[in-house]
């Protein structure tokens, strides 16, 4: 038996097929992964993401600590609650993890990091924090529910206390606010509108059931993966890891180069790559032939070299296979992918594949 | 509980086989197999006229999550692959023993069917 979230019993009652995910017993789907996927694109679905790791950073040096720790710059965050997506790099510019950091005040931030990387992240944070006046505290007492889809905010708001609804519904994109015991953020991992709600463990099961009663469909990790891939969002451990830099992972946009004297960890390597040319890049692939892209399939770029599919799936929205692949820098817009001994044609595209329910490729 | 029709033969790798009146056999994957795979999104049945050998991979079924081989339960010549699956792979999920069939084979040796499991034996393997 793995770790179980506070909502586990509800998943089982709702018919979930449970699988092991990084040591957690999590729902893969509740019957049909594809129907769950379409529900998020067209209506409202919810995900138990309580396995993710919430970390609070507090102290006089909190801002200085984050200036060093992450490749994006928290100085972009001017208003309380504003969120930033970023990578946390090692000395060699490799990605230790990707995370979201919420600005609460100059001395107070909240981060959400991945579940599978929890231990190494916490060890790294502790090591990096040693020379700063800052407290890094994991919050295992908190659960998290993501409600996603064009109708998700309206349906979820109806489950909040009446006086809290307006506050929640007025949150702008990528902004969060504490609302009583909840921390409601207008963020997500699907390419649709919605909230990620951090909730005390003791209240998580009730909130999940209230959302279900309000017509928000429980969705599993399977749909979460096809949705994020359609949205062109990376998955840590598949699309990037410590052997790749953000520049080789389609995440150059998350690196804040200015001001030049902000020497975040890994910066030297990124600057060298930028100077000398980034050897590989992460691109979107749209399979032209019939078949399904899967991670680790070989990508052949004629006359240039080879690469690899890092994530691949069947896109329920597009009705064909899509993927992300790391290819040599000189790749053009046509490549072939080796699938079960055959070479199939794929077109190189710029993600996202789908955004707000609409095909973008 | 999985549906395991009594009039079919089964393999350990979750294929089913039905003897047809014309002497050919129809092959598909079981209800248990389609349920374990989840929503199918791509099926590649063998081409008519190709030779298959018992125990060899003869078709591919891919769900949202993964690709799996279908192993031929018998040796023989493929009389037909189910071309409807190209556009509607979900037929395997919806009707694994009917419209979701994978291929029809003219078996070299009809006695080979006797080496396959009956429904009760197959059902017992699912309980382990």
């Amino acid at each position: 038996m793995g770790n179980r979230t506070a909502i586990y019993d509800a998943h089982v009652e709702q018919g979930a097929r449970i699988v092991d995910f990084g040591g957690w017993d999590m729902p893969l789907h509740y019957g049909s992964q594809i129907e769950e996927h379409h529900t998020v694109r067209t209506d409202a679905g919810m995900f138990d993401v309580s396995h993710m790791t919430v970390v609070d950073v507090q102290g006089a040096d909190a801002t200085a600590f984050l200036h060093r720790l992450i490749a994006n710059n928290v100085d972009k965050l001017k208003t309380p609650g504003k969120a930033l997506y970023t990578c946390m790099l090692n000395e060699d510019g490799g990605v230790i993890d990707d995370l979201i950091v919420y600005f609460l005040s100059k001395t107070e931030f909240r981060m959400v990091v991945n579940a599978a990387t929890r231990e190494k992240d916490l060890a790294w944070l502790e090591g990096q924090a040693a020379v700063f006046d800052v407290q890094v505290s994991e919050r295992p007492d908190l659960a998290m529910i993501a409600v996603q889809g064009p109708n998700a905010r309206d349906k979820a708001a109806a489950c909040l206390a009446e006086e809290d609804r307006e506050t929640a519904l007025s949150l702008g994109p990528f902004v969060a606010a504490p609302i009583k015991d909840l921390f409601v953020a207008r963020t997500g991992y699907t390419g649709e509108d919605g909230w990620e709600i951090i909730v005390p463990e003791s209240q998580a099961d009730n909130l999940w059931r209230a959302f279900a009663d309000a017509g928000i469909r429980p969705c599993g990790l399977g749909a979460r993966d096809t949705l994020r891939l359609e949205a062109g969002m990376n998955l840590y451990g598949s699309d990037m890891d410590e052997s790749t830099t953000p520049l080789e992972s389609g995440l150059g946009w998350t690196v804040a180069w200015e001001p030049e004297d902000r020497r975040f960890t890994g910066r030297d390597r990124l600057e060298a790559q930028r100077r000398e040319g980034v050897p590989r890049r992460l691109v979107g692939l749209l399979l032209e032939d019939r078949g399904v892209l899967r991670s680790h399939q070989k990508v052949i770029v004629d006359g240039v070299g080879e690469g690899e599919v890092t994530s691949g799936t069947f896109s329920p929205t597009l009705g064909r296979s899509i993927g992300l692949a790391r290819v040599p820098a000189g790749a053009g817009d046509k490549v072939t992918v080796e699938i079960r001994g055959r070479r199939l044609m794929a077109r190189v595209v710029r993600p996202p594949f789908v955004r707000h329910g609409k095909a973008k490729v | 509980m999985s549906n395991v029709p009594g009039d079919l033969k089964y393999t350990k790798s979750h294929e089913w086989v039905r003897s047809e009146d014309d002497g050919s056999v129809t092959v598909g994957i079981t209800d248990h197999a389609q349920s374990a795979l989840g929503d199918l999104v791509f099926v590649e049945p063998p081409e008519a006229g190709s030779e298959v050998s018992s125990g060899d991979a003869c078709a591919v079924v891919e769900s949202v999550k993964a690709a799996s081989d279908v192993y031929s339960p018998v040796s023989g010549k493929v009389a037909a692959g189910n071309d409807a699956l190209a556009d509607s792979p979900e037929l395997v999920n919806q009707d694994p023993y009917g419209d979701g069939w994978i291929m029809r084979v003219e078996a070299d040796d009809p006695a080979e069917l006797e080496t396959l499991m009956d429904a009760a034996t197959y059902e017992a393997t699912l309980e382990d």
Side-chain angles (χ1 to χ4, degrees):
Chain A
M1 184 179 110
N3 296 315
R4 291 179 172 178
T5 75
I7 310 171
Y8 178 84
D9 289 347
H11 299 321
V12 173
E13 285 169 37
Q14 288 162 342
R17 181 180 290 264
I18 300 289
V19 293
D20 173 69
F21 183 79
W24 291 81
D25 289 342
M26 298 299 287
L28 179 63
H29 60 73
Y30 301 78
S32 171
Q33 174 176 337
I34 289 183
E35 285 171 24
E36 290 163 20
H37 179 109
H38 289 312
T39 301
V40 171
R41 286 275 176 256
T42 58
D43 184 11
M46 62 178 167
F47 305 84
D48 178 7
V49 285
S50 305
H51 58 306
M52 296 193 74
T53 309
V54 179
V55 180
D56 285 343
V57 175
Q58 290 168 308
D61 285 347
T63 299
F65 169 63
L66 291 169
H67 281 162
R68 171 77 62 79
L69 184 78
I70 57 177
N72 212 337
N73 191 349
V74 290
D75 290 348
K76 291 177 184 172
L77 305 174
K78 306 289 188 201
T79 52
K82 188 79 182 161
L84 187 73
Y85 174 71
T86 184
C87 292
M88 175 165 82
L89 306 180
N90 62 24
E91 294 290 351
D92 206 27
V95 182
I96 295 173
D97 202 3
D98 65 332
L99 58 96
I100 285 187
V101 57
Y102 297 96
F103 169 69
L104 304 176
S105 75
K106 293 272 186 206
T107 57
E108 205 177 359
F109 294 84
R110 169 165 283 181
M111 306 196 306
V112 179
V113 306
N114 281 301
T117 49
R118 174 183 167 275
E119 278 167 40
K120 74 163 185 176
D121 286 1
L122 293 174
W124 178 260
L125 289 171
E126 200 171 304
Q128 298 296 299
V131 297
F132 291 95
D133 177 8
V134 69
Q135 289 259 307
V136 174
S137 337
E138 193 199 358
R139 297 294 304 273
D141 54 313
L142 298 177
M144 180 146 70
I145 299 171
V147 295
Q148 302 277 295
N151 300 328
R153 292 190 309 135
D154 282 340
K155 287 187 172 182
C159 303
L160 302 178
E162 204 168 342
E163 67 271 20
D164 297 331
R165 287 175 195 162
E166 201 189 317
T167 315
L169 286 169
S170 66
L171 291 171
F174 243 65
V175 176
I179 297 179
K180 297 212 180 88
D181 291 341
L182 306 180
F183 184 82
V184 180
R186 194 164 168 197
T187 51
Y189 195 47
T190 62
E192 297 301 326
D193 203 351
W195 291 327
E196 292 177 301
I197 302 170
I198 296 173
V199 48
E201 256 192 329
S202 58
Q203 301 173 28
D205 181 80
N206 276 343
L207 189 62
W208 179 270
R209 290 172 195 269
F211 285 160
D213 289 343
I216 305 178
R217 180 179 191 147
C219 301
L221 293 177
R224 186 167 159 82
D225 192 55
T226 51
L227 287 159
R228 70 90 192 169
L229 191 49
E230 284 186 351
M233 294 171 172
N234 289 14
L235 172 63
Y236 188 82
S238 295
D239 305 309
M240 75 286 206
D241 58 26
E242 293 195 32
S243 71
T244 60
T245 70
L247 307 183
E248 297 166 306
S249 308
L251 297 176
W253 61 277
T254 70
V255 178
W257 301 99
E258 304 292 333
E260 220 166 292
D261 61 354
R262 188 180 68 92
R263 306 308 298 180
F264 60 84
T265 304
R267 177 166 187 139
D268 292 347
R269 173 78 189 289
L270 300 194
E271 284 180 344
Q273 268 197 342
R274 194 158 69 148
R275 208 164 45 238
E276 292 153 18
V278 183
R280 308 175 291 175
R281 62 193 180 110
L282 194 76
V283 297
L285 292 186
L286 196 59
L287 190 66
E288 306 268 22
D289 294 320
R290 296 188 75 93
V292 184
L293 296 167
R294 303 285 183 192
S295 54
H296 305 304
Q297 287 167 348
K298 191 195 284 182
V299 178
I300 299 137
V301 188
D302 277 337
V304 178
E306 290 179 356
E308 192 180 74
V309 175
T310 55
S311 284
T313 192
F314 174 82
S315 158
T317 305
L318 303 178
R320 58 199 294 195
S321 183
I322 59 170
L324 296 174
R326 186 164 283 106
V327 297
D333 60 355
K334 294 278 181 198
V335 298
T336 55
V337 183
E338 213 170 270
I339 301 181
R340 305 176 72 90
R342 286 192 304 198
R343 289 187 175 193
L344 304 185
M345 294 293 299
R347 187 150 58 88
V348 175
V349 297
R350 176 187 282 271
F353 302 93
V354 178
R355 186 90 182 150
H356 296 311
K358 301 272 190 309
K360 304 297 274 186
V361 290
Chain B
M1 232 10 258
S2 290
N3 174 16
V4 182
D7 57 336
L8 306 179
K9 294 286 196 177
Y10 297 90
T11 67
K12 272 190 297 205
S13 47
H14 309 289
E15 291 86 14
W16 57 261
V17 182
R18 185 171 58 227
S19 302
E20 305 294 353
D21 293 341
D22 65 359
S24 69
V25 298
T26 303
V27 176
I29 66 170
T30 65
D31 184 42
H32 171 84
Q34 70 77 19
S35 164
L37 288 166
D39 292 326
L40 291 187
V41 295
F42 177 72
V43 180
E44 192 178 347
E47 283 176 29
S50 60
E51 297 284 340
V52 292
S53 302
S54 61
D56 285 0
C58 62
V60 181
V61 290
E62 297 208 32
S63 68
V64 195
K65 198 68 205 156
S68 306
D69 287 312
V70 177
Y71 298 96
S72 183
V74 295
S75 298
K77 189 173 179 178
V78 176
N82 185 358
D83 294 333
L85 299 181
D87 287 327
S88 303
E90 67 277 8
L91 290 173
V92 178
N93 295 114
Q94 292 162 359
D95 191 9
Y97 300 111
D99 291 343
W101 62 278
I102 305 279
M103 65 174 179
R104 225 174 61 241
V105 182
E106 287 157 15
D108 292 339
D109 178 9
E112 203 175 6
L113 263 67
E114 301 311 313
T115 64
L116 302 173
M117 286 184 275
D118 61 21
T121 310
Y122 175 67
E123 206 160 359
T125 69
L126 302 181
E127 283 157 16
D128 292 343

